[in-house]
Amino acid sequence: MRKADLFASLVVFLVALPLCVGVAIASGVPAELGLVTGIVGGLVAGVMPGSSLQVSGPAAGLTVLVYEAVQSYGVQALGVLVLGAGLVQLGLGVLRLGRWFRAVSVAVVQGMLAGIGLVLIAGQVYAMGDASAPASGLGKIAGLIALAGDADPVALAIGGATVVVLLLWPRWRRGARVVPAPLLAVALASAVTGGFDLSVRRVEVRGLLDAVRPPGLADVGRLTEVGVIGTVLAFALIASAESLFSAAAVDRLHRGPRTDYDRELIAQGAGNAVCGVLGALPMTAVIVRSAANVQAGARTKVSRVLHGVWLLLFTAVVPGVLGVIPVAALAGLLVHAGCKLVPVREVRVLWRGHRGEVVVLSVTAVAIVVGNLFEGVLVGLALAVAKTAWDISHVHVETEDRGASGMVVRVVGNATFLRLPKLLDALEALPHDRDVRLELGGLRHVDHACAAALEGWAAGRDHERVATSRSTT
């Protein structure tokens, strides 16, 4: 074992610990389930081939979807949902479909993350003030105005101070390398809360064995429900996309072996299948922990496996420590994480040269806030496909006047129904007293609507020419 991997594993453990607990609380499940997912991410996904330095665990990106699922089907159904998602991921990996996730529009992915971030921020602001949040994403945002009167000022101050520490501490790079900002922020908040005995809501500790609930036969039977199947697919596809996009980002941070996307998808599927059997949260590869792993000097997968070992030891030896953590501090941690999900810089870059992509991103984000995550992603994908179809369906009409011999009209490009009005306007504007030769050799694609319209236009020209010759005679 290399010293670099040992040190990196401790850094990742210290980063993952508060995030695992925070994601679980925000998802509406016991804190211990977040730690179980982190342990599985290290001990199961960590030992499997795929990406050597990527770290898996519960992610803020799935918080909104998990919370919706728990509210709809109950925490007892979470295990079978995650198990089903893991099996779907395993199937996708075995069929070597992992690379196809790279074909998903970047604007849709960024819009998905932005929508998740906005809903996460809105929901966790309530938790920062120890106040109850409305159920819908739009309701959370609309209710922020009235939150000032309902929030506990002490809890709000703790949550706000946590965000400040998260923003300021990383500026001292040497200190941030020794003590990760998330751990310091939560530790300080816990020390202040305990030292002054502040009456704010704290993490409830139930014990690992009490929190873990494997799915029963009745839960497995729910996989026949349409809504449950849709949630399973949403878990699988969104977790897979987030993991593989994270892998691409991590590959840019180091010079080691590149990620095998199909194997990584199998590793994520195996991890989620185990999480499902234990009734825990779904897991994905997480860019925050993965980046911390690389920056701490990790060289092999040993570091990510060891981080799971440290989480297991912590959960087994000192689980009571969780009870001193104020919920407001974890909420502040997730508000900070939610802000990072909103791609402000990327939107600025896209706006300069690809404004259509900004529209796709924005519509996806708004659809998630107004509706839910699954519907928002479907809307984004449909809009991205429509935009691509519009972009590639360029058609140009070129005319050449050859004097007495008439005119030559060339149609070039992709003739689809999206450009049919433009095509017909150009053809119908041609003079009716000239012979026209229509050349379609420059068309790369003609759909049925355009083919029928071109035949109809040509037949109309022939009819006009016949009618004109009869009237002349």
Side-chain angles (χ1 to χ4, degrees):
M1 182 192 306
R2 298 182 179 181
K3 291 182 179 180
D5 287 327
L6 177 60
F7 175 75
S9 71
L10 291 171
V11 171
V12 176
F13 160 68
L14 295 175
V15 172
L17 178 61
L19 288 173
C20 288
V21 177
V23 170
I25 298 298
S27 301
V29 303
E32 291 85 353
L33 292 184
L35 291 171
V36 171
T37 299
I39 293 167
V40 174
L43 301 184
V44 178
V47 300
M48 299 186 71
S51 176
S52 59
L53 300 181
Q54 186 164 248
V55 181
S56 300
L62 281 175
T63 301
V64 175
L65 186 57
V66 174
Y67 181 82
E68 292 174 352
V70 170
Q71 295 302 308
S72 299
Y73 306 111
V75 70
Q76 68 276 5
L78 182 59
V80 73
L81 294 174
V82 178
L83 174 61
L87 295 177
V88 171
Q89 287 181 302
L90 282 169
L92 294 175
V94 171
L95 294 174
R96 304 185 63 80
L97 297 178
R99 68 194 69 181
W100 287 100
F101 282 90
R102 300 161 69 184
V104 177
S105 168
V106 175
V108 174
V109 175
Q110 291 176 334
M112 178 189 74
L113 295 177
I116 291 170
L118 292 173
V119 176
L120 186 60
I121 293 168
Q124 292 308 301
V125 167
Y126 289 89
M128 283 175 62
D130 280 356
S132 58
S136 66
L138 200 59
K140 290 183 177 71
I141 295 176
L144 290 176
I145 300 175
L147 179 61
D150 299 331
D152 182 343
V154 176
L156 201 57
I158 292 173
T162 301
V163 175
V164 171
V165 172
L166 291 169
L167 293 173
L168 297 181
W169 182 250
R171 296 187 178 183
W172 185 28
R173 295 184 179 179
R174 182 176 298 179
R177 289 175 182 173
V178 178
V179 182
L183 179 69
L184 178 67
V186 173
L188 288 176
S190 301
V192 171
T193 301
F196 291 94
D197 195 23
L198 301 178
S199 58
V200 296
R201 190 160 64 99
R202 305 186 190 188
V203 175
E204 296 180 6
V205 181
R206 296 172 48 184
L208 190 61
L209 295 179
D210 292 333
V212 170
R213 184 187 182 280
L217 292 177
D219 299 322
V220 174
R222 302 196 66 177
L223 287 174
T224 58
E225 300 177 20
V226 175
V228 170
I229 294 173
T231 303
V232 167
L233 293 177
F235 273 12
L237 297 178
I238 293 174
S240 300
E242 187 170 346
S243 295
L244 298 183
F245 277 105
S246 173
V250 172
D251 282 348
R252 291 194 292 267
L253 298 177
H254 67 91
R255 298 181 179 179
R258 306 292 93 179
T259 298
D260 183 316
Y261 287 91
D262 296 316
R263 288 185 174 182
E264 179 63 20
L265 199 53
I266 292 174
Q268 295 295 323
N272 272 320
V274 174
C275 287
V277 170
L278 297 175
L281 289 171
M283 71 174 210
T284 72
V286 188
I287 187 61
V288 174
R289 276 159 258 184
S290 303
N293 190 38
V294 174
Q295 292 165 3
R299 295 290 181 269
T300 67
K301 65 175 65 177
V302 171
S303 61
R304 64 183 190 180
V305 175
L306 282 178
H307 115 275
V309 174
W310 308 141
L311 286 173
L312 177 60
L313 290 176
F314 174 87
T315 307
V317 177
V318 286
V321 173
L322 298 177
V324 305
I325 300 176
V327 172
L330 296 176
L333 188 68
L334 291 177
V335 166
H336 181 258
C339 291
K340 287 187 173 182
L341 292 176
V342 181
V344 177
R345 293 181 181 177
E346 289 80 356
V347 169
R348 291 176 181 172
V349 174
L350 284 175
W351 184 254
R352 295 170 189 161
H354 305 279
R355 296 189 176 182
E357 295 293 305
V358 177
V359 173
V360 174
L361 188 157
S362 302
V363 170
T364 303
V366 171
I368 290 172
V369 173
V370 174
N372 57 53
L373 184 58
F374 188 55
E375 293 173 356
V377 171
L378 290 180
V379 169
L381 289 172
L383 186 59
V385 171
K387 175 187 173 296
T388 301
W390 178 263
D391 289 342
I392 66 173
S393 64
H394 291 295
V395 63
H396 304 283
V397 178
E398 303 172 354
T399 61
E400 179 184 352
D401 193 340
R402 294 187 176 179
S405 59
M407 301 178 65
V408 175
V409 177
R410 301 182 183 88
V411 183
V412 181
N414 296 286
T416 69
F417 70 95
L418 296 172
R419 302 288 182 168
L420 185 55
K422 174 184 176 181
L423 177 61
L424 290 177
D425 287 345
L427 293 177
E428 291 171 357
L430 296 172
H432 293 270
D433 58 348
R434 303 288 302 278
D435 290 333
V436 176
R437 178 183 175 185
L438 184 63
E439 295 184 354
L440 304 179
L443 283 175
R444 294 186 293 272
H445 173 74
V446 183
D447 68 6
H448 178 71
C450 285
L454 289 171
E455 291 176 1
W457 176 82
R461 294 284 298 196
D462 291 341
H463 178 74
E464 288 180 1
R465 186 162 51 251
V466 171
T468 302
S469 62
R470 285 178 179 174
S471 62
T472 302
T473 56

